[in-house]
């Protein structure tokens, strides 16, 4: 991953490929003017105080995420200056919010792909600002290149495909205090969290012929060994013996059998335990209820919830958080075959409840149900499940916002607050009791489908049935933001995003600090 350093050098003397500064739109009496953000003073001096004028001449407006490149004058060691937009200047010039800084740093880092080193002279009035810039730059400097850059069979004999540009190799954070423990801790936190987010992104982007339940479980086991996390993998035989009918029912149509993976990070002084449950459908064809053409191409991303849970547990271990965090990865591949579950089949779940499967494409709730029941047996203080669960949630909230449902309003509010703090767009959603009636079955205890309208809420109500009594539980439906199909923006790449990892880590941090009740 891209290296991060807290540099003692000044912007004028730093030897790098480029310098990054912030610019903003003026407010009030200066409305329409271009305003240089704090951190750009030395660069502006090298331009004889005319940097804003030069940028305006080049068409820069200061809009969020806008990137303007220009050659540096002789007074700077770096040959290129990159001005990145911060939006409208705040009331106090140094009071840019953390998410604005993250996105600006991410935009600049993406623009610097192929470079070896860049100095980031963005506003860092506090330790929190420094952490935000570090996170944004490292998240923006991401590329999934594992399957690119080899021999090009269409090129003339002997020619090679050079492949995509590699990400920016080093981020030098200027304006910080490298010897200050708080700044060091902020940098180390950013590195740990972003490395795990990028691990999740890599898993999401890996094609399903290489990532399937068994191989995902192997990745988790290797990471557990590296970071002191206990890992238990239940294979098909163990799942049959344990009666995990949801996982087995979804996975029985594939040649790649299902797995339930438990990752347990424990701290000797922990007073609270969190259980995180992730939907891990490594490929979702819809099963016998086959998805229509045009809906299958990105279904390798249907394990994004499990990737987020995996990344969050490892991040908690790396940060040494004073809380026990257990992750449950419910892994299966949903395929149509002569062995596949049929619409109308009844599955006996791990909880003992029976479920009539009306639609095999509503499979995520089935594997999550088994994992939620198993997680509840350990009586954690709270359970959070994460899943790319419903298209209905995308219709409700769009592609960039995930929904939060819970059996406890205060817990739901806390998670929403944490998500907003870390820069992940989310919205609290209800669990209307009247929608439960639509899942009544004449054959089984419950059906896996209910009313079409409010489908995301129906899915949440289904999951709630499998949560242990008295346990605070929340459900994050990340179907929208988990996989980005459009052009990259800010620190968000095309493809897997690592959505919800920062929220889960934030939840673990707040729990460790005793701030969650």
């Amino acid at each position: 991953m891209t290296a991060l350093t807290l540099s003692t050098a000044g912007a004028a003397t730093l030897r790098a490929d480029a310098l990054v500064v912030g610019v903003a739109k003026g407010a009030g009496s200066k409305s329409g003017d271009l305003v240089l953000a704090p951190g750009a003073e030395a660069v502006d001096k090298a331009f004889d105080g005319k940097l804003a004028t030069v940028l305006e001449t080049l068409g820069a407006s200061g809009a969020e995420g806008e990137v303007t490149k220009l050659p540096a004058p002789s007074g700077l060691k770096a040959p290129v200056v990159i001005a990145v937009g911060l939006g409208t200047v705040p009331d106090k010039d140094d009071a840019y919010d953390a998410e604005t800084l993250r996105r600006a740093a991410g935009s600049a880092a993406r623009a610097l792909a192929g470079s070896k080193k860049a100095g980031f002279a963005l506003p860092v009035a506090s330790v929190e600002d420094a952490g935000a810039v570090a996170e944004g730059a490292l998240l923006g400097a991401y590329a999934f290149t594992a399957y690119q850059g080899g021999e090009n069979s269409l090129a003339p004999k002997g020619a090679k495909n050079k492949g995509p540009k590699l990400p920016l190799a080093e981020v030098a954070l200027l304006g910080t205090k490298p010897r200050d423990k708080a700044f060091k801790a902020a940098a180390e936190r950013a590195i740990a969290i972003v490395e795990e987010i990028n691990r999740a992104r890599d898993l999401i982007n890996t094609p399903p012929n290489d990532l399937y339940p068994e191989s995902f479980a192997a990745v988790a086991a290797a990471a557990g060994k590296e970071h002191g996390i206990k890992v238990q993998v239940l294979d098909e035989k163990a799942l049959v013996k344990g009666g995990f009918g949801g996982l087995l029912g979804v996975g029985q149509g594939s040649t790649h059998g299902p797995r339930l993976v438990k990752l347990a990070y424990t701290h000797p002084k922990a007073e609270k335990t969190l259980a995180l449950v992730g939907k891990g459908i490594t490929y979702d064809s819809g099963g016998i209820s086959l998805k229509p053409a045009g809906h299958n191409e990105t279904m390798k991303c249907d394990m994004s919830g499990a990737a987020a849970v995996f990344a969050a547990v490892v991040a908690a271990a790396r940060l040494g958080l004073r809380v026990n965090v257990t992750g449950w990865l419910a892994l299966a591949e949903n395929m149509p075959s002569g062995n596949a579950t049929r619409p109308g089949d009844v599955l006996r779940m791990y909880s003992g409840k029976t479920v009539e499967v009306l639609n095999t494409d509503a499979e995520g709730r089935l594997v999550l149900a088994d994992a939620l029941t198993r997680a509840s047996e350990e009586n954690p203080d709270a359970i959070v499940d994460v899943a790319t669960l419903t298209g209905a949630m995308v219709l409700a909230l769009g592609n960039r916002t995930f929904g939060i449902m819970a059996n406890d309003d205060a817990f739901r509010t806390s998670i929403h607050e944490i998500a907003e703090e870390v820069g992940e767009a989310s919205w609290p959603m209800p669990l209307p009791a009247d929608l439960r009636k639509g899942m009544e079955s004449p054959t089984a205890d419950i059906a896996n489908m209910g009313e079409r309208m409010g489908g995301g809420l129906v899915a949440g109500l289904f999951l709630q049935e499998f949560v242990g009594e008295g346990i605070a539980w929340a459900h994050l439906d990340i179907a929208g933001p988990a996989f980005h199909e459009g052009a990259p923006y800010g620190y968000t790449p095309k493809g897997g995003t690592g959505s919800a990892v920062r929220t889960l880590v934030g939840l673990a941090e707040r729990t460790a600090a005793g701030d969650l009740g």
Side-chain angles (χ1 to χ4, degrees):
M1 194 184 82
T2 300
L4 174 69
T5 57
L6 300 180
S7 179
T8 57
T13 58
L14 181 73
R15 294 186 181 278
D17 295 317
L19 287 172
V20 177
V21 298
V23 293
K25 297 178 179 181
S29 61
K30 294 184 178 180
S31 181
D33 294 342
L34 200 63
V35 178
L36 299 179
E41 295 84 0
V43 178
D44 186 38
K45 184 177 179 180
F47 278 89
D48 294 327
K50 298 179 180 179
L51 177 57
T53 301
V54 173
L55 288 169
E56 285 181 334
T57 301
L58 293 174
S61 68
E64 280 196 27
E66 178 187 73
V67 173
T68 306
K69 293 184 179 181
L70 65 162
S74 58
L76 302 176
K77 296 294 184 182
V80 175
V81 171
I82 289 184
V84 61
L86 297 167
T88 302
V89 67
D91 293 337
K92 294 182 180 180
D93 288 351
D94 59 352
Y96 292 92
D97 67 79
E99 182 62 7
T100 295
L101 295 175
R102 280 191 204 97
R103 291 179 179 176
S107 295
R110 287 192 298 102
L112 286 161
S115 301
K116 292 182 178 180
K117 181 178 180 178
F120 281 67
L122 293 172
V124 284
S126 66
V127 171
E128 290 74 22
D129 289 346
V133 173
E135 273 189 25
L138 295 176
L139 286 169
Y142 170 82
F144 183 66
T145 60
Y147 293 81
Q148 296 173 311
E151 290 287 340
N152 184 349
S153 61
L154 299 180
K157 188 175 182 180
K160 288 187 176 182
N161 176 9
K162 294 181 180 179
K165 289 181 180 179
L166 294 176
L168 171 64
E170 181 182 349
V171 170
L173 204 56
L174 307 181
T176 59
K177 300 174 182 178
R179 296 180 182 178
D180 186 285
K181 289 183 179 180
F183 279 95
K184 285 183 180 179
E188 290 169 359
R189 178 184 182 277
I191 291 169
I193 292 175
V194 175
E195 283 186 350
E196 296 314 316
I197 290 173
N198 286 345
R199 189 204 297 263
R201 289 170 167 180
D202 284 349
L203 287 167
I204 296 164
N205 290 327
T206 298
N209 57 317
D210 282 343
L211 189 76
Y212 41 88
E214 184 179 3
S215 61
F216 194 152
V219 171
K225 187 175 181 180
E226 179 183 356
H227 297 289
I229 299 168
K230 292 183 180 179
V231 179
Q232 178 186 15
V233 179
L234 298 186
D235 61 11
E236 288 167 280
K237 290 183 179 180
L239 293 173
V240 170
K241 185 177 180 180
F244 290 86
L247 275 158
L248 290 165
V250 173
Q252 70 188 44
S254 173
T255 56
H256 296 298
R259 298 288 186 273
L260 179 62
V261 180
K262 175 186 176 183
L263 303 101
Y265 159 68
T266 58
H267 190 285
K269 296 183 179 180
E271 297 179 356
K272 298 284 187 178
T273 297
L274 290 176
L276 309 177
V277 178
K279 174 187 172 183
I281 304 299
T282 56
Y283 181 75
D284 182 18
S285 69
I288 296 298
S289 305
L290 193 67
K291 292 180 182 293
H295 291 75
N296 278 314
E297 290 76 5
T298 61
M299 281 299 101
K300 64 181 181 181
C301 79
D302 213 18
M303 36 61 66
S304 296
V309 166
F310 171 41
V313 175
V314 177
R318 291 182 60 173
L319 295 172
L321 300 183
R322 192 171 172 171
V323 59
N324 297 329
V325 185
T326 302
W328 300 88
L329 314 183
L331 308 177
E333 186 176 67
N334 187 26
M335 297 291 285
S337 75
N339 294 323
T341 292
R342 295 152 292 230
D345 282 357
V346 174
L347 304 178
R348 185 170 296 278
M349 312 297 282
Y350 179 70
S351 67
K353 290 182 180 180
T354 55
V355 176
E356 183 181 12
V357 180
L358 299 180
N359 187 326
T360 63
D361 195 23
E363 84 299 329
R365 63 198 71 182
L366 299 175
V367 300
L368 286 173
D370 275 356
L372 284 168
T373 303
R374 178 65 187 88
S376 296
E377 288 181 339
E378 300 192 352
N379 199 32
D381 293 286
I383 298 176
V384 178
D385 76 70
V386 189
T388 48
L389 205 59
T390 66
M393 194 57 58
V394 185
L395 290 174
L397 299 178
N399 290 316
R400 297 190 183 184
T401 304
F402 63 75
I404 307 171
M405 285 154 264
N407 61 2
D408 181 282
D409 289 347
F411 189 44
R412 181 185 62 189
T413 298
S414 292
I415 292 177
H416 181 224
E417 290 173 352
I418 292 167
E420 295 301 305
E421 286 173 8
V422 302
E424 295 196 306
S426 66
W427 197 250
M429 303 291 283
L431 287 172
D434 62 285
L435 291 178
R436 172 62 178 84
K437 185 175 178 62
M439 289 184 285
E440 291 182 358
S441 166
T443 308
D445 295 324
I446 190 172
N448 77 328
M449 292 291 289
E451 294 183 29
R452 180 169 176 267
M453 299 303 173
L457 312 183
V458 170
L461 286 165
F462 180 91
L463 295 178
Q464 185 175 223
E465 297 272 332
F466 298 88
V467 177
E469 187 175 350
I471 301 174
W473 158 79
H475 161 55
L476 312 186
D477 190 335
I478 62 170
F483 195 83
H484 180 56
E485 296 185 65
Y489 64 93
Y491 53 76
T492 301
K494 187 179 180 69
T497 64
S499 176
V501 175
R502 285 179 290 154
T503 297
L504 296 179
V505 174
L507 174 63
E509 289 176 323
R510 184 178 286 195
T511 304
D515 295 337
L516 208 62

